[in-house]
Amino acid sequence: MQQTPLVFCSPHSGRVYPSAFIEASRLSSEAIRRSEDLFVDQLFDFVPSIGAPLLLARFPRAFLDVNREPYELDPQMFDAALPSFANAASIRVAGGLGTIPRIVAEREEIYRDKVSLAEGLDRIETIYRPFHASLAGVLQETRDRFGSAILIDCHSMPSTVRTMPGGRQPDIVVGDRFGTSASHRIVALVSNGLSALGYDVMRNKPYAGGFITERYGRPGTGIHALQIEINRGLYADERRFVPNANFARMRADLITFVTELAAEIDLGSTQSAAAE
């Protein structure tokens, strides 16, 4: 039973690779996994136990990226002309990382040949749209029940993420679309809670949040959205695709963080109600 307005989502940790997709790829079984948010689903698998919904993508990001607009498509990838409503001009498409990605994280081309447009559109209709319908539904139900909903969109970033001025390499990046997708209070609670556990936390640089944060973060309507990017080197061996010795500690810290955040959110709601 849901006990908090917090909602969690992990759209990039899926690792169920369809056999036809593997056969169509020019990459090895290891190389094709470079885009995964390694084990983020396992890091946050505890949240239902504290009464928060957790929406997970089982399909891999290399197959379909739900953190994009529904039709951010590269016309060079497909065997037929794109429909007129497709967005073929976005920066993400230009970089090879549209709704149907052309490359994995290390800029390696995924496909040997052109992709069937019909098959690509089918992925959007049968997987993308149901995923977002589920997420939108959970957020609406949460807001209706608690008066607000707070989406935490969970991701991981490569340990090679570019350093910031002064050689700083963040442990965690909290993205709020430069102050537009969540209230300042919620952003502060998230950032301060993670910092208090000893992590070097940055805001919006180099990740301000993707389509999910932008699409659902509407503080004026009572729905807030934040993206959290965790440095993979903190908890995983990125080359071998296995958890490292610090995985248990990272997960324990996240349990502490989420538990305390839920308590702070509840306290804030109670205080607001009392003030009214």
Side-chain angles (χ1 to χ4, degrees), residues 5-275:
L6 293 171
V7 175
F8 290 81
C9 177
S10 178
H12 287 166
S13 57
R15 47 190 175 273
V16 178
Y17 288 81
S19 58
F21 174 60
I22 295 296
E23 291 169 5
S25 174
R26 56 180 292 276
L27 299 177
S28 68
S29 58
E30 288 190 351
I32 205 169
R33 297 188 63 188
R34 298 295 179 194
S35 292
E36 284 180 24
D37 281 353
L38 284 176
F39 311 123
V40 167
D41 55 339
Q42 295 178 24
L43 285 174
F44 286 92
D45 64 4
F46 63 88
V47 298
S49 69
I50 67 163
L54 173 62
L55 183 63
L56 303 174
R58 302 298 183 190
F59 51 90
R61 177 188 187 183
F63 181 72
L64 177 71
D65 193 342
V66 291
N67 199 24
R68 298 289 182 265
E69 296 173 21
Y71 297 100
E72 285 190 79
L73 301 173
D74 183 343
Q76 302 303 315
M77 286 181 60
F78 297 96
D79 65 358
L82 296 179
S84 60
F85 51 79
N87 179 359
S90 79
I91 293 175
R92 294 178 288 210
V93 167
L97 294 171
T99 315
I100 308 291
R102 175 171 54 82
I103 64 171
V104 291
E106 295 187 354
R107 307 202 64 79
E108 293 186 272
E109 298 279 341
I110 295 173
Y111 297 96
R112 284 198 215 77
D113 303 305
K114 297 278 188 179
V115 178
S116 162
L117 178 63
E119 201 275 331
L121 294 177
D122 184 66
R123 293 182 201 177
I124 295 169
E125 292 301 320
T126 61
I127 302 175
Y128 181 102
R129 290 196 178 282
F131 180 94
H132 278 279
S134 294
L135 180 55
V138 169
L139 290 172
Q140 181 68 52
E141 291 169 6
T142 300
R143 183 182 64 178
D144 291 348
R145 179 174 178 183
F146 295 94
S148 65
I150 302 163
L151 173 63
I152 308 294
D153 195 34
C154 306
H155 296 260
S156 69
M157 57 189 175
S159 60
T160 54
V161 64
R162 64 182 183 273
T163 55
M164 306 310 292
R168 184 175 169 194
Q169 191 173 32
D171 294 325
I172 299 174
V173 177
V174 175
D176 66 351
R177 300 297 300 176
F178 302 103
T180 64
S181 67
S183 75
H184 295 305
R185 173 180 176 264
I186 292 170
V187 175
L189 286 175
V190 170
S191 299
N192 294 341
L194 292 166
S195 295
L197 291 167
Y199 294 101
D200 186 355
V201 179
M202 296 202 69
R203 182 175 170 188
N204 292 318
K205 295 183 180 180
Y207 304 105
F211 174 75
I212 288 174
T213 309
E214 182 179 20
R215 167 68 179 81
Y216 295 104
R218 297 287 186 271
T221 70
I223 298 181
H224 307 261
L226 287 170
Q227 178 176 284
I228 293 179
E229 294 269 2
I230 303 173
N231 190 315
R232 286 177 207 145
L234 294 175
Y235 66 88
D237 183 326
E238 295 165 277
R239 291 186 176 276
R240 298 173 54 228
F241 302 102
V242 294
N244 67 21
N246 293 318
F247 180 89
R249 176 187 172 185
M250 182 83 241
R251 185 174 178 276
D253 283 345
L254 289 172
I255 292 173
T256 299
F257 159 67
V258 173
T259 302
E260 292 180 352
L261 177 62
E264 290 278 1
I265 294 297
D266 289 345
L267 178 61
S269 299
T270 302
Q271 290 176 336
S272 296

